[in-house]
């Protein structure tokens, strides 16, 4: 059974702090890793799809790195703002014969206080 | 370009009843996936439809069924509702299937079974 773990479960930071959190996934048969940002009462929003070991992707103040050999990805937020408050989900695709199944972690809930 | 629309947004049903949830996919997308998110967990894959055919199924009983229509909109039907079916149901559409496909999510239908 594939397991995707995220840590920490929740994080409270002050505006201006930089923060990071972790997604751990099975390192064997890696294909891709997805990151989503989900604000309360809105739709999950795709941030990144990462496929290459050592890959680093950036979107504004948010960036992500990938280590497929050891099975983890970090998401960094530089200079957190209150509007960054959301749940950040990572997802690992199922095997090729499982359709487009994504296996999600339980998420990291980020709260940024002004 | 419209996003993914789900209806209704909230629903209360009695145990044993049947429910139908609806999803309009993003314009141009031919693939729809359904997820269930119970409290405190990440979304769990129910199934995916690609060009009106089921393209993968998660670990859900047969009383969870679906349809995709020629316009690529979709329905999720749940028969014989149980209390544990209370959850947020998310629909996601994409241009194609596959493990690196980018998904656009709706904001979900909150189902409460009493």
């Amino acid at each position: 059974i594939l397991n995707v773990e995220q840590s920490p479960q929740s994080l409270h930071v002050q505006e201006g702090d930089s923060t990071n959190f972790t997604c751990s996934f099975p390192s064997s048969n890696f294909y891709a890793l997805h990151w989503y940002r989900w604000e309360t009462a809105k739709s999950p929003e795709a941030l990144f799809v990462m496929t290459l070991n050592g890959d680093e992707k950036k979107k504004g103040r948010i960036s992500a790195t990938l280590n497929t050999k050891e099975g983890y990805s970090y998401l960094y937020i530089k200079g957190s703002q209150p509007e960054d408050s959301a749940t950040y989900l990572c997802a690992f695709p199922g095997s090729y014969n499982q359709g487009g199944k994504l296996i999600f972690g339980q998420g990291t809930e980020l709260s940024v206080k002004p | 370009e419209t996003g993914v629309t789900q209806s209704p947004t909230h629903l209360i049903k009695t145990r044993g009843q049947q429910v139908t949830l609806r999803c309009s996919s993003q314009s141009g997308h031919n693939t729809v996936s359904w997820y269930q998110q119970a409290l405190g967990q990440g979304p769990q894959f129910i199934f995916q439809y690609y060009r009106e055919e089921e393209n993968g199924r998660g670990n859900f009983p047969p009383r969870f069924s679906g349809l995709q229509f020629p316009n690529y909109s979709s329905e999720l039907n749940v028969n014989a509702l149980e209390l544990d079916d209370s959850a947020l149901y998310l629909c996601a559409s994409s241009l194609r299937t596959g493990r690196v496909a980018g998904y656009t999510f709706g904001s979900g239908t909150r189902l409460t079974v009493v």
Side-chain angles (χ1 to χ4, degrees), chain B residues 8 13 17 27 37 44 51-52 54 61-62 86 94-95 107:
Chain B
K13 286 286 192 177
Q17 284 188 314
S27 177
Q37 192 202 23
Q44 302 286 314
R51 293 186 175 180
E52 303 177 61
E54 188 178 287
S86 296
S94 61
L95 184 56
S107 52

Side-chain angles (χ1 to χ4, degrees), chain B residues 20-97:
Chain B
T20 297
L21 310 183
R22 294 180 173 83
C23 172
S24 294
S25 57
Q26 181 166 314
S27 177
H29 286 186
N30 57 19
T31 303
V32 172
S33 304
W34 286 92
Y35 288 84
Q36 180 197 66
Q37 192 202 23
L39 208 59
Q41 296 181 23
Q44 302 286 314
F45 178 74
I46 303 175
F47 41 56
Q48 183 181 79
Y49 279 83
Y50 171 63
R51 293 186 175 180
E52 303 177 61
E53 298 282 334
E54 188 178 287
N55 186 48
R57 189 178 180 92
N59 191 24
F60 280 81
R63 59 189 185 82
F64 285 77
S65 63
L67 278 175
Q68 188 179 32
F69 299 100
N71 67 354
Y72 302 130
S73 66
S74 177
E75 284 182 356
L76 164 65
N77 298 292
V78 187
N79 291 324
L81 283 166
E82 300 177 1
L83 297 179
D84 284 349
D85 296 333
S86 296
L88 181 70
Y89 289 85
L90 291 165
C91 167
S93 73
S94 61
L95 184 56
R96 56 190 171 96
T97 63

